[in-house]
Amino acid sequence: MTTFDERARDWDADPARVERARAVAERIGAMVPLDRTMTALEYGCGTGLLGFALQPHLGHITLADSSEGMLAVLREKIAASGAANVRATKLDLTTDPRPSERYDLVVSLMTLHHVPDTRRILEDFHALLKPGGYLAVADLDREDGSFHGRDFGGHNGFDRDVLAADAARAGFPAVRFVTAFEITKTVKDRPRVFPVFLMVAQRP
Protein backbone atom coordinates (compact mmCIF):
# COMPACT_ATOMS: atom_id res chain seq x y z
CA MET A 1 0.00 0.00 0.00
CA THR A 2 1.29 3.45 -0.92
CA THR A 3 2.09 5.55 2.14
CA PHE A 4 1.33 9.20 2.73
CA ASP A 5 5.09 9.89 2.63
CA GLU A 6 5.21 8.49 -0.90
CA ARG A 7 2.12 10.38 -2.03
CA ALA A 8 3.17 13.76 -0.63
CA ARG A 9 4.96 15.18 -3.71
CA ASP A 10 1.92 14.71 -5.94
CA TRP A 11 -0.75 15.41 -3.32
CA ASP A 12 -1.59 18.95 -4.44
CA ALA A 13 -1.73 17.93 -8.13
CA ASP A 14 -5.23 16.54 -7.64
CA PRO A 15 -7.63 19.44 -8.28
CA ALA A 16 -10.40 17.67 -6.37
CA ARG A 17 -8.33 17.77 -3.17
CA VAL A 18 -7.67 21.47 -3.67
CA GLU A 19 -11.36 22.14 -4.28
CA ARG A 20 -12.37 20.02 -1.29
CA ALA A 21 -10.10 22.02 1.04
CA ARG A 22 -11.39 25.31 -0.35
CA ALA A 23 -15.02 24.25 0.07
CA VAL A 24 -14.47 23.06 3.64
CA ALA A 25 -12.62 26.27 4.53
CA GLU A 26 -15.54 28.30 3.21
CA ARG A 27 -17.99 26.26 5.28
CA ILE A 28 -15.85 26.70 8.40
CA GLY A 29 -15.78 30.44 7.77
CA ALA A 30 -19.56 30.48 7.50
CA MET A 31 -20.06 28.57 10.77
CA VAL A 32 -17.21 29.86 12.96
CA PRO A 33 -16.58 33.57 13.64
CA LEU A 34 -12.98 33.65 12.43
CA ASP A 35 -10.81 36.69 13.12
CA ARG A 36 -7.15 37.70 13.10
CA THR A 37 -6.79 37.33 16.87
CA MET A 38 -7.44 33.57 16.77
CA THR A 39 -4.88 30.79 17.02
CA ALA A 40 -5.64 27.48 15.34
CA LEU A 41 -4.39 23.92 15.00
CA GLU A 42 -5.01 21.73 11.98
CA TYR A 43 -4.50 18.09 12.90
CA GLY A 44 -3.59 15.72 10.08
CA CYS A 45 -2.83 18.67 7.81
CA GLY A 46 -1.04 16.82 5.00
CA THR A 47 0.42 19.46 2.69
CA GLY A 48 -1.64 22.20 4.34
CA LEU A 49 -4.36 22.73 1.75
CA LEU A 50 -7.02 23.48 4.36
CA GLY A 51 -4.65 25.40 6.63
CA PHE A 52 -3.51 27.72 3.85
CA ALA A 53 -7.14 28.38 2.89
CA LEU A 54 -7.88 29.40 6.49
CA GLN A 55 -4.61 31.21 7.17
CA PRO A 56 -5.62 34.68 5.87
CA HIS A 57 -8.50 34.77 8.37
CA LEU A 58 -6.51 33.78 11.48
CA GLY A 59 -3.81 35.25 13.67
CA HIS A 60 -1.72 32.07 13.62
CA ILE A 61 -2.19 28.46 12.56
CA THR A 62 -0.10 25.43 13.50
CA LEU A 63 -0.24 22.67 10.89
CA ALA A 64 0.42 19.23 12.39
CA ASP A 65 0.89 15.86 10.73
CA SER A 66 2.64 12.54 11.43
CA SER A 67 4.00 12.09 7.88
CA GLU A 68 7.52 13.37 7.31
CA GLY A 69 6.90 13.41 3.56
CA MET A 70 3.84 15.62 3.91
CA LEU A 71 5.64 17.92 6.35
CA ALA A 72 8.61 18.29 3.98
CA VAL A 73 6.30 19.49 1.20
CA LEU A 74 4.44 21.71 3.66
CA ARG A 75 7.62 23.40 4.91
CA GLU A 76 8.59 24.19 1.33
CA LYS A 77 5.16 25.73 0.76
CA ILE A 78 5.42 27.84 3.91
CA ALA A 79 8.85 29.12 2.88
CA ALA A 80 7.69 29.89 -0.65
CA SER A 81 4.57 31.70 0.56
CA GLY A 82 6.36 33.91 3.04
CA ALA A 83 3.43 33.46 5.43
CA ALA A 84 4.61 34.46 8.88
CA ASN A 85 1.56 33.13 10.71
CA VAL A 86 1.92 29.46 9.70
CA ARG A 87 4.03 26.82 11.46
CA ALA A 88 4.54 23.13 10.67
CA THR A 89 5.07 20.51 13.36
CA LYS A 90 5.14 16.74 13.61
CA LEU A 91 2.41 15.37 15.87
CA ASP A 92 0.65 12.05 16.30
CA LEU A 93 -1.85 12.24 19.15
CA THR A 94 -2.22 8.45 19.18
CA THR A 95 1.36 8.15 20.47
CA ASP A 96 2.64 11.64 21.39
CA PRO A 97 1.70 13.64 24.48
CA ARG A 98 -0.71 16.50 23.98
CA PRO A 99 1.01 19.81 23.21
CA SER A 100 0.96 22.41 25.95
CA GLU A 101 -0.51 25.07 23.65
CA ARG A 102 -4.22 25.82 23.71
CA TYR A 103 -6.10 27.07 20.66
CA ASP A 104 -9.18 29.04 19.68
CA LEU A 105 -9.88 26.63 16.81
CA VAL A 106 -8.99 23.00 16.05
CA VAL A 107 -9.72 21.67 12.56
CA SER A 108 -9.21 18.44 10.66
CA LEU A 109 -10.09 17.28 7.15
CA MET A 110 -10.35 13.61 6.17
CA THR A 111 -8.22 12.61 9.16
CA LEU A 112 -10.68 11.22 11.69
CA HIS A 113 -11.37 8.02 9.75
CA HIS A 114 -7.67 7.12 10.03
CA VAL A 115 -7.66 7.41 13.85
CA PRO A 116 -8.55 4.13 15.64
CA ASP A 117 -10.06 5.61 18.81
CA THR A 118 -12.56 8.29 17.84
CA ARG A 119 -13.64 9.10 21.39
CA ARG A 120 -10.06 9.53 22.54
CA ILE A 121 -9.13 11.92 19.73
CA LEU A 122 -12.23 14.01 20.41
CA GLU A 123 -11.17 14.23 24.05
CA ASP A 124 -7.72 15.35 22.88
CA PHE A 125 -9.27 18.03 20.68
CA HIS A 126 -11.39 19.22 23.60
CA ALA A 127 -8.33 19.46 25.82
CA LEU A 128 -6.43 21.44 23.17
CA LEU A 129 -9.13 24.11 22.95
CA LYS A 130 -9.41 27.19 25.09
CA PRO A 131 -12.79 27.69 26.78
CA GLY A 132 -15.13 28.96 24.10
CA GLY A 133 -12.94 27.53 21.35
CA TYR A 134 -14.32 25.80 18.27
CA LEU A 135 -13.83 22.35 16.79
CA ALA A 136 -14.40 21.83 13.06
CA VAL A 137 -14.04 18.26 11.76
CA ALA A 138 -14.71 17.28 8.16
CA ASP A 139 -14.86 13.63 7.16
CA LEU A 140 -16.80 10.96 5.30
CA ASP A 141 -20.35 10.02 6.03
CA ARG A 142 -20.85 6.36 6.87
CA GLU A 143 -20.29 4.14 3.80
CA ASP A 144 -19.90 0.44 3.00
CA GLY A 145 -16.11 0.36 2.62
CA SER A 146 -16.08 1.15 -1.08
CA PHE A 147 -14.22 4.43 -0.61
CA HIS A 148 -10.88 2.91 0.44
CA GLY A 149 -11.38 -0.74 -0.45
CA ARG A 150 -11.21 -3.95 1.52
CA ASP A 151 -7.61 -3.55 2.77
CA PHE A 152 -8.31 -0.30 4.62
CA GLY A 153 -7.97 -0.59 8.39
CA GLY A 154 -9.69 2.61 9.48
CA HIS A 155 -13.31 3.71 9.81
CA ASN A 156 -15.67 3.49 6.84
CA GLY A 157 -16.93 6.98 7.51
CA PHE A 158 -19.15 8.01 10.40
CA ASP A 159 -22.81 8.03 11.34
CA ARG A 160 -23.54 11.65 12.26
CA ASP A 161 -25.70 10.78 15.27
CA VAL A 162 -23.08 8.41 16.68
CA LEU A 163 -20.33 10.97 16.17
CA ALA A 164 -22.44 13.66 17.83
CA ALA A 165 -22.88 11.37 20.85
CA ASP A 166 -19.13 10.75 20.98
CA ALA A 167 -18.51 14.50 20.82
CA ALA A 168 -20.98 15.07 23.68
CA ARG A 169 -19.13 12.52 25.81
CA ALA A 170 -15.88 14.34 25.02
CA GLY A 171 -17.32 17.61 26.38
CA PHE A 172 -19.02 19.20 23.38
CA PRO A 173 -22.68 19.55 24.41
CA ALA A 174 -23.99 20.63 21.00
CA VAL A 175 -22.79 20.03 17.46
CA ARG A 176 -23.90 21.19 14.04
CA PHE A 177 -23.52 19.24 10.81
CA VAL A 178 -23.58 20.31 7.19
CA THR A 179 -22.57 18.54 4.01
CA ALA A 180 -19.47 20.46 2.97
CA PHE A 181 -18.40 18.58 -0.15
CA GLU A 182 -19.04 15.52 -2.27
CA ILE A 183 -16.29 13.23 -3.58
CA THR A 184 -16.99 11.31 -6.77
CA LYS A 185 -15.05 8.07 -7.21
CA THR A 186 -15.34 5.23 -9.65
CA VAL A 187 -16.51 2.08 -7.86
CA LYS A 188 -17.02 -1.11 -9.91
CA ASP A 189 -16.79 0.93 -13.12
CA ARG A 190 -19.50 3.35 -12.04
CA PRO A 191 -19.26 6.86 -10.57
CA ARG A 192 -20.30 7.03 -6.94
CA VAL A 193 -20.75 10.06 -4.71
CA PHE A 194 -19.39 10.08 -1.16
CA PRO A 195 -20.61 13.02 0.98
CA VAL A 196 -18.16 14.80 3.28
CA PHE A 197 -19.72 16.35 6.40
CA LEU A 198 -18.47 19.23 8.48
CA MET A 199 -19.14 18.93 12.21
CA VAL A 200 -18.74 22.13 14.22
CA ALA A 201 -18.82 22.23 18.01
CA GLN A 202 -17.83 24.72 20.70
CA ARG A 203 -16.11 24.01 23.99
CA PRO A 204 -18.09 25.55 26.86
Side-chain angles (χ1 to χ4, degrees), residues 150-198:
R150 70 175 61 180
D151 294 330
F152 181 61
H155 303 279
N156 294 325
F158 298 91
D159 178 281
R160 297 187 187 192
D161 290 337
V162 173
L163 189 60
D166 287 343
R169 278 187 284 267
F172 297 101
V175 300
R176 293 177 289 159
F177 283 93
V178 296
T179 298
F181 194 71
E182 292 181 337
I183 301 171
T184 301
K185 294 186 72 170
T186 300
V187 178
K188 296 181 179 179
D189 299 321
R190 293 186 178 183
R192 180 167 166 184
V193 174
F194 295 89
V196 174
F197 65 80
L198 174 64

Side-chain angles (χ1 to χ4, degrees), residues 17-65:
R17 291 194 184 110
V18 177
E19 175 62 17
R20 180 176 67 203
R22 183 200 62 78
V24 170
E26 286 187 357
R27 282 291 193 173
I28 292 173
M31 297 176 72
V32 178
L34 304 179
D35 68 60
R36 294 300 300 268
T37 68
M38 296 175 74
T39 60
L41 170 71
E42 182 186 357
Y43 183 70
C45 65
T47 61
L49 289 172
L50 176 61
F52 270 100
L54 292 171
Q55 167 264 330
H57 310 289
L58 299 167
H60 190 275
I61 185 166
T62 297
L63 305 181
D65 204 279

Side-chain angles (χ1 to χ4, degrees), residues 66-80:
S66 61
S67 164
E68 289 286 9
M70 291 288 186
L71 289 170
V73 172
L74 173 59
R75 290 186 177 108
E76 291 172 5
K77 289 171 66 174
I78 293 172

